[in-house]
Amino acid sequence: MKSWHQLPIEQITTDLRTDIQNGLLPEEVTLRQKQYGFNELAEKDKESLFRKFINQFKDFLVLILLAASVISVLIGEITDAFVIIAIVILNASLGVFQEAKAEKALEALKRMSAPSSKTIRAGNLVMIPSRELIPGDVVILEAGDYIPADIRIVETANLKVEEASLTGESAAVEKDHITLEKDAPLGDRHNIGFMSTIVTYGRGKGIVVTTGMETEIGKIAAMIQSLEEDSTPLQKKLKGFGKLLGGLGLAICAVVFLVGIYNGYRTGSLDFQLVQSMLMISISLAVAAIPEGLPTVVTIVLALGMQRMAKKNAIVKKLHAVETLGSTTIICSDKTGTLTQNQMTVVKVTLGKKSFEITGEGYKPEGDFLVEGTKTGIDTEKDLDLLLLGAALCNDAQLKEPSDTQNWTIIGDPTEGALLTVAAKGGKSKEQFSLYTRIAEIPFDSARKMMTTFHKMTNHQTIAFTKGAPDILLRNCTNILIDGIARPMTEEDSQIIQEGNQNMSSQALRVLAIAYREFDQVPDNLNPSSIEQEMTFIGLLGMIDPARPEAKEAVNLCLSAGIRPIMITGDHPGTALAIAKDLGIATNEQQVLAGQDVNRLSKEQLQKSVKDVTVFARVSPENKMSIIDALRTNGEIVAMTGDGVNDAPALKKAHIGIAMGITGTDVTKEAADMIVSDDNFATIVTAIEEGRVIFANIKKFIFFLLSCNASEVLVIFLAMLLGWPIPLLPIQLLWINLVTDAFPALALGIEKKEPNIMETPPRAPDEPLLSKNMLTMIAVQSIVMAATVLAAFQYGLHTHNNDLAVGRTFAFVTLILSQIICAYSARSEHYSTFKLGFFSNTYLNLGAGLSFLLLLLSIYGPLHLIFKTIEPGTTELFAFILFAPIPFIATEICKFILNTRKTNTSFK
Ligand code: ATP
C-alpha cells in the first residue's frame, strides 16, 4: 500500500503514468477500467429473494388467511386449504416480484442522480460519472463537490474540505499540495482529498490515487449506497388501514360465529354440521373483508409514477416526495437558470457617466461597442480596457469554439462566460491573459457575492481584480477610475454608479461591478474582509438572461392550481422584480423583500410578510432558512430549489428539497428529495401535476378495492342474516380478491390525469384518504352490488331446482362481472364514465379483458373443479348480462347526484 501523501507529485505522475495537464488517454482509460473496475463502494448485502419471500408472510392479513387454511383442514375442506395456501403463495411471489421491480426502478433512478466528476482526459475537461474514475485520472474540485475518490491534491485555491464522514471532525480543513515528510493520521493528510468528503470552499486539482473499496472510506466500511427505503405517509396510513380492516373482519367473524352457535344452542340444533358451516361462513367473511391486493398495488403505482416523472426530467429520490408534491402550496424557486435560461449576454457597460451598448449574440465573441448608436473605437478607452481585462482575468469560465453541431459555448458559469465574451469582443484575447498569470484567488461565494483574483503585471506589481454584486462591491471602494486616473470616490460618483445599477436592473439586466486594488505582493492572509477593501471602482456590466418561455405558462398553471410561486434569488431586487413581472410572479415593488430586510424583521413580522411577498432578492443561504421557517409556521407545504453548496440545509428543511441537475452541486443533490435534471421551473410544476395524478389514482383503486371487499362482506353477512346458504365459497372470494380484482385495480393506478387536476387547490396533507362523497359512493356501490349478487344467487337457485352449485356460480359470475364494470366508474370521482369515454384508458381495457378471460377460465376450463362452478348455458349468460351492470348504473347515478349537489351546476 503506497503512502501517497508522502510521495512527491512527480513520482505520483510517473507511478500512475499520467499527466497533470492532459490526464489519461482513451486507450489507457479502457485498460485501467478493466484492471480497477468501477469506483464504487460495495453495497450492503441485499436481502435474498428467499428472505423477501418469507417477509411476505409476516403480513397480518396473510397470517389471517393462513389461519383460515388451517381451519379449513380441521373441518375437512382439504382442497380449500390447498387452494388458499396456493393463492397465498402466488400472492407472496407476486409481492416479491413487484418489490424487486420497484427496487430496480429505484436503483435506476439512483443511477440517474449519481454524481459526476469534472475530469481532464486527453487534454479536455469532461464530465464523467464518478463511478467511471480510475487511478491516474486528473479531476477538478469545486465548492459543493463530493470528492469522488482518494485524490492527491496537486493545485489549490483556498481549498477547504469537510471530512466529518471520515474523521468525525466537522470543521472544514484547508488542503494544499505540499508533500508530507512524515506519516500522519488521516485528519492531518492535508494533501489528500478523501472519497465522500465535501469541498466546502475554493477550488483544487488532483490525481486520483485509489478508487472504490481501496479508498480510505472503502477500507473502513462497506457503507452507504443502500437504497432509501422510507415508507410514505400514505403507505403507513394504508398499513394501519389494512390492519383495521383485518381486525374488523376478524371481529365480524367472531360475532357471526358466536351468534350462529348461540342460535343453534338455543334452538337445540347445535351439532358438528352447524359448527362446520359456521366456521365456513367465518372464513369466507375473513377472506372477503381483507383487501389483499392493496399494499402491492400502492407500491407498484408509486414506483411506476416515479419512472414516469423521471422521463419528464423530475428524478424523485425519496418515495414520500411523490405524495407531498400533490400537497405543495408554495414553490420557492431560484431565478437564475430555473426561471431564466442562464444564457447570459452582456449588452451594456457603464464607466462613470459614459455608457456603451454592446451588440452581438450569445457567446459568439463578435460585436461592437456603441455610444448613442455609433460604433466607438475602444482602443482609446483606457478604463474600458481595464474593465474588460478584469472581467476576463477574474474568471474561471472557458469559451469553446463552435463545432459542427453547436455554436459558441462556454464551460463554467454563464455569468463568467458572458464576461469572457464581452472581453473578447473588446479584443481581450486568450493570448493576452497568459501575460498576467493568476497567482492567487479568493473564490466566489454566494454569501459574499464577490470574487477576487491576483495577477502579476508586467511592471512586477500585483493587481487584484474583484468582481461582484455592485451594491456590495461599491461599499468597499474608496477610489474610482476616471479616464485612466484613480481618484477618491465622491458622494456624487457613488450616486451615479447606484443610478446606473438601478437603471440596468429595472431593465431586467443582471449587473456586475469590477474593481481593482494594487499590492506589492500577494498578502499572506487571504481574508476577504481585509482584501476586498479600499478598492478602485472601474465600471458596471449589465447582462440579459431571458426568462424561460415555458416558465410563464408554468407560473400560470401554478396560480390556477392554488400554488404560489416565490422567486428567491441572490440577484438585485430591481432585476428580480423586472423578471418576476415578466413571468407573472409579481406585479409591484411591495411584493419584493431584500435579504437584509429578512434579517431585520422579527419572526412574527417575517411570518406576516411572507404571506404577500413573492420575490426575495439578494438573499443569503441563511435567509432561505428563515423564509422556509416562516412559511412552514404559516402552514404552507413548501418545495424549495437550490444549487449552491450552502443551500443543502434549506433543501433539507423544506417539505420537498429540489436540486438542480445541471448547475446543482453534489451536496444539494444529496440533500434533495427530487432532482430536476433540466433545471427548469416548468419541470417542477409538471412533477407536482404528476404527484397529484398519482395520489388521485391511488384513491381510485382504493375506492374500487374497498367497495368490492365491502360488497363481498355484505353478501355473506346478509345471506347469513336471512338464513340462506352462503352464496360464495372462500376460495371463490380469494380468487376474486387476489386475481380478478387486481388487474383493473392496477390499471386504475395508471389512469390518465383528469382534466381539472390543476384547477383545484392542493390537497391538505391531513385530508382523509376517502372523502365523504367517496364513502357515500362506496356504500351505495357495495350495497347495490351485494343486493344484485344475492338476487342473482336466488335466481340461480330458483331456476335450477335449488342446486347450490348453480346458485353460487350465478353469484360468482355476477360479482366478478359487476366488479369489472364498476372499475370503469372508479376512474373518476367527479366525471361520469360516459363523459370520460368508456374505453379511453387502454390499460383498464386490458386489465378488464384479462380479468374476464380469467373468469371464463374459472367457469369453462379445468379450474371449475376447484371453484366448484357449473358451466353456464346461453340463458344463464343472458341473465348475467342483465344483472352485472346494475351496481355500475347505481354508482353513476349516485356520482351524478353528489356532483350536482356540490357544484349546483350542470353535471360535468
Ligand atoms: P439565483 O439564486 O436565482 O440562482 P443568482 O445566481 O443571481 O441567483 P448568486 O449566484 O448567489 O445568485 O449570485 C448573487 C450575486 O453575486 C449576483 O447577483 C451577482 O451580482 C454576483 N455574482 C454572481 N456570480 C458571480 C461571479 N461568478 N463572480 C462574482 N460575482 C458574482
Side-chain angles (χ1 to χ4, degrees):
M1 193 92 250
K2 279 192 178 152
S3 300
W4 300 102
H5 50 289
Q6 288 177 276
L7 295 180
I9 294 170
E10 302 74 51
Q11 192 177 336
I12 293 178
T13 48
T14 319
D15 286 1
L16 292 174
R17 297 190 313 282
T18 188
D19 178 294
I20 297 178
Q21 298 310 324
N22 299 308
L24 296 171
L25 295 173
E27 310 84 71
E28 194 59 35
V29 169
T30 327
L31 275 179
R32 286 192 201 185
Q33 265 168 352
K34 279 206 190 101
Q35 185 185 345
Y36 293 100
F38 283 119
N39 172 34
E40 289 173 325
L41 298 179
E43 296 209 356
K44 245 188 354 195
D45 274 351
K46 278 203 194 142
E47 229 175 32
S48 68
L49 273 184
F50 180 68
R51 253 266 58 90
K52 277 191 187 139
F53 186 73
I54 295 297
N55 280 346
Q56 300 282 328
F57 291 91
K58 287 188 188 154
D59 194 78
F60 179 60
L61 304 182
V62 175
L63 290 180
I64 297 180
L65 291 180
L66 287 179
S69 71
V70 172
I71 296 175
S72 303
V73 174
L74 290 181
I75 58 174
E77 293 285 347
I78 308 287
T79 347
D80 277 21
F82 272 119
V83 173
I84 295 180
I85 288 176
I87 289 186
V88 166
I89 290 178
L90 186 79
N91 188 42
S93 316
L94 265 177
V96 171
F97 172 73
Q98 295 303 350
E99 215 175 81
K101 216 171 124 187
E103 212 168 77
K104 253 203 174 137
L106 282 176
E107 260 172 32
L109 289 178
K110 202 176 116 203
R111 269 199 299 280
M112 286 172 83
S113 61
S116 42
S117 302
K118 291 171 270 302
T119 313
I120 300 177
R121 281 193 178 165
N124 294 316
L125 183 63
V126 284
M127 289 291 272
I128 58 164
S130 299
R131 70 194 287 264
E132 290 175 14
L133 284 178
I134 36 180
D137 263 328
V138 177
V139 291
I140 306 288
L141 302 171
E142 283 177 359
D145 289 348
Y146 271 103
I147 296 189
D150 279 1
I151 286 170
R152 170 67 151 89
I153 312 281
V154 296
E155 263 176 49
T156 55
N158 295 351
L159 184 67
K160 288 190 188 152
V161 178
E162 194 241 277
E163 298 181 333
S165 60
L166 193 66
T167 62
E169 171 60 54
S170 60
V173 287
E174 192 133 4
K175 294 279 171 184
D176 58 40
H177 64 271
I178 299 161
T179 309
L180 293 183
E181 285 180 4
K182 282 196 278 181
D183 198 6
L186 292 186
D188 294 337
R189 293 184 193 169
H190 46 73
N191 58 8
I192 303 279
F194 296 105
M195 184 177 197
S196 289
T197 57
I198 303 166
V199 180
T200 55
Y201 192 73
R203 287 188 316 117
K205 189 176 184 182
I207 303 171
V208 172
V209 288
T210 49
T211 55
M213 293 305 282
E214 295 300 311
T215 59
E216 292 300 333
I217 198 105
K219 276 192 240 161
I220 56 168
M223 51 149 250
I224 29 184
Q225 302 259 334
S226 62
L227 282 170
E228 199 79 42
E229 277 170 22
D230 57 345
S231 290
T232 76
L234 175 71
Q235 279 176 318
K236 285 186 202 142
K237 230 186 234 176
L238 279 180
K239 235 185 203 153
F241 198 51
K243 272 197 183 146
L244 182 80
L245 283 180
L248 214 71
L250 277 186
I252 298 176
C253 287
V255 171
V256 166
F257 182 74
L258 291 177
V259 170
I261 299 289
Y262 175 71
N263 275 344
Y265 172 74
R266 216 169 28 105
T267 53
S269 59
L270 182 61
D271 57 5
F272 179 67
Q273 196 135 32
L274 180 76
V275 175
Q276 196 178 5
S277 80
M278 285 322 294
L279 274 173
M280 275 296 280
I281 294 176
S282 307
I283 294 170
S284 307
L285 267 177
V287 170
I290 299 169
E292 296 86 349
L294 210 56
T296 325
V297 182
V298 174
T299 314
I300 304 172
V301 166
L302 282 174
L304 285 178
M306 284 165 80
Q307 270 178 335
R308 229 176 21 240
M309 286 160 95
K311 278 200 194 118
K312 296 180 179 171
N313 294 322
I315 302 163
V316 173
K317 281 180 58 201
K318 297 179 188 159
L319 259 184
H320 76 86
V322 180
E323 246 177 273
T324 320
L325 275 170
S327 319
T328 304
T329 56
I330 302 253
I331 309 176
C332 291
S333 171
D334 279 341
K335 170 179 72 70
T336 314
T338 312
L339 289 163
T340 66
Q341 298 177 12
N342 213 1
Q343 289 274 333
M344 312 262 179
T345 317
V346 175
V347 291
K348 202 162 182 179
V349 168
T350 65
L351 300 159
K353 285 184 182 159
K354 268 187 250 167
S355 83
F356 305 83
E357 306 283 332
I358 292 110
T359 61
E361 265 185 26
Y363 297 114
K364 189 175 176 188
E366 283 170 24
D368 295 318
F369 286 68
L370 310 179
V371 176
E372 285 165 12
T374 320
K375 194 169 150 184
T376 169
I378 57 169
D379 311 345
T380 54
E381 302 283 351
K382 275 192 192 158
D383 302 352
L384 184 61
D385 205 58
L386 196 66
L387 181 91
L388 297 182
L389 188 65
L393 291 179
C394 185
N395 199 313
D396 292 321
Q398 281 177 37
L399 269 188
K400 259 183 97 174
E401 294 196 14
S403 62
D404 295 344
T405 49
Q406 274 184 317
N407 290 326
W408 282 85
T409 50
I410 53 142
I411 302 178
D413 176 12
T415 304
E416 299 195 340
L419 297 180
L420 269 193
T421 310
V422 73
K425 286 176 185 172
K428 297 283 159 224
S429 67
K430 249 189 167 164
E431 293 70 55
Q432 251 176 311
F433 306 156
S434 57
L435 284 178
Y436 313 103
T437 26
R438 187 189 289 190
I439 43 182
E441 69 187 71
I442 309 177
F444 170 74
D445 90 69
S446 55
R448 243 171 61 247
K449 301 186 171 46
M450 286 190 282
M451 161 173 175
T452 299
T453 53
F454 294 80
H455 306 267
K456 222 26 244 143
M457 301 299 277
T458 31
N459 60 5
H460 300 296
Q461 270 280 335
T462 297
I463 188 165
F465 282 109
T466 301
K467 71 177 192 315
D471 30 338
I472 296 166
L473 195 130
L474 185 61
R475 276 186 245 143
N476 302 353
C477 286
T478 42
N479 293 315
I480 183 166
L481 187 74
I482 301 285
D483 295 331
I485 298 166
R487 62 159 171 77
M489 169 129 34
T490 63
E491 196 50 46
E492 192 195 348
D493 295 330
S494 167
Q495 196 69 35
I496 292 171
I497 296 168
Q498 285 178 43
E499 275 165 21
N501 182 21
Q502 197 64 43
N503 193 331
M504 284 199 254
S505 299
S506 63
Q507 294 166 35
L509 299 184
R510 176 184 179 85
V511 193
L512 246 72
I514 302 218
Y516 73 94
R517 184 175 170 187
E518 284 170 315
F519 292 88
D520 293 333
Q521 59 184 50
V522 178
D524 289 338
N525 184 358
L526 288 181
N527 184 353
S529 56
S530 58
I531 287 175
E532 289 162 345
Q533 284 296 335
E534 298 170 25
M535 297 179 286
T536 304
F537 189 90
I538 317 176
L540 297 173
L541 297 124
M543 50 193 91
I544 45 162
D545 175 16
R548 284 179 180 268
E550 63 277 26
K552 209 170 187 163
E553 210 175 295
V555 166
N556 275 335
L557 201 58
C558 277
L559 296 174
S560 75
I563 303 164
R564 191 152 61 97
I566 294 183
M567 177 192 280
I568 300 195
T569 175
D571 219 332
H572 187 272
T575 316
L577 176 62
I579 292 178
K581 273 185 181 166
D582 184 26
L583 290 171
I585 292 180
T587 50
N588 58 61
E589 272 171 27
Q590 275 70 49
Q591 287 172 290
V592 185
L593 196 68
Q596 66 213 55
D597 298 323
V598 174
N599 289 332
R600 212 175 25 80
L601 296 180
S602 70
K603 263 190 176 170
E604 291 71 31
Q605 284 170 320
L606 186 61
Q607 243 169 274
K608 207 161 155 241
S609 346
V610 293
K611 288 189 178 150
D612 305 310
V613 171
T614 50
V615 177
F616 290 92
R618 282 280 185 256
V619 291
S620 66
E622 295 78 57
N623 292 151
K624 282 194 176 182
M625 299 289 276
S626 333
I627 297 167
I628 299 190
D629 264 338
L631 288 168
R632 286 189 74 130
T633 328
N634 286 350
E636 306 283 3
I637 305 290
V638 189
M640 155 92 74
T641 70
D643 46 17
V645 57
N646 301 325
D647 286 341
L651 294 197
K652 285 225 164 98
K653 188 148 219 177
H655 292 94
I656 298 192
I658 305 172
M660 294 296 130
I662 305 170
T663 54
T665 51
D666 294 348
V667 180
T668 43
K669 286 183 193 164
E670 182 63 30
D673 303 301
M674 183 170 106
I675 300 175
V676 172
S677 59
D678 61 354
D679 286 17
N680 194 341
F681 179 76
T683 305
I684 304 175
V685 182
T686 312
I688 289 184
E689 182 170 347
E690 275 297 335
R692 287 188 175 194
V693 173
I694 292 171
F695 198 83
N697 287 353
I698 288 180
K699 271 168 71 173
K700 282 172 201 173
F701 68 70
I702 291 179
F703 165 75
F704 171 68
L705 287 178
L706 283 192
S707 25
C708 290
N709 281 70
S711 64
E712 291 157 21
V713 172
L714 278 176
V715 168
I716 308 290
F717 198 64
L718 292 175
M720 196 206 65
L721 282 187
L722 296 168
W724 297 353
I726 50 166
L728 291 158
L729 294 170
I731 36 171
Q732 292 175 338
L733 286 166
L734 258 185
W735 177 252
I736 296 172
N737 278 357
L738 283 176
V739 186
T740 57
D741 274 2
F743 298 105
L746 250 183
L748 284 170
I750 41 183
E751 175 70 33
K752 279 189 288 198
K753 67 174 177 189
E754 285 181 50
N756 69 343
I757 195 99
M758 288 301 264
E759 283 158 27
T760 46
R763 169 180 57 86
D766 52 359
E767 184 186 288
L769 213 51
L770 299 170
S771 63
K772 259 194 205 145
N773 274 2
M774 272 198 149
L775 287 173
T776 317
M777 270 157 66
I778 291 180
V780 169
Q781 190 176 96
S782 46
I783 291 170
V784 177
M785 199 180 278
T788 313
V789 170
L790 286 175
F793 176 60
Q794 279 302 337
Y795 177 80
L797 286 178
H798 281 297
T799 48
H800 294 79
N801 305 324
N802 281 337
D803 183 341
L804 200 51
V806 175
R808 284 184 176 145
T809 307
F810 265 76
F812 181 66
V813 178
T814 310
L815 184 62
I816 294 184
L817 280 181
S818 58
Q819 288 187 351
I820 294 177
I821 303 175
C822 279
Y824 284 86
S825 193
R827 288 179 60 202
S828 171
E829 187 186 344
H830 311 287
Y831 291 91
S832 114
T833 312
F834 301 97
K835 165 105 184 178
L836 286 178
F838 239 97
F839 298 110
S840 53
N841 178 354
T842 321
Y843 292 109
L844 184 55
N845 299 336
L846 285 175
L850 201 60
S851 293
F852 186 66
L853 254 169
L854 287 166
L855 166 66
L856 292 184
L857 256 179
S858 53
I859 47 176
Y860 290 113
L863 287 179
H864 88 98
L865 288 176
I866 296 178
F867 296 116
K868 302 184 178 99
T869 51
I870 306 291
E871 208 173 282
T874 340
T875 355
E876 286 82 14
L877 286 181
F878 190 67
F880 298 150
I881 293 172
L882 285 181
F883 279 119
I886 298 173
F888 168 81
I889 296 167
T891 316
E892 286 290 313
I893 293 175
C894 172
K895 206 194 275 185
F896 176 80
I897 295 170
L898 289 174
N899 277 297
T900 344
R901 251 205 348 218
K902 200 166 79 188
T903 56
N904 221 3
T905 55
S906 62
F907 186 43
K908 286 184 209 168

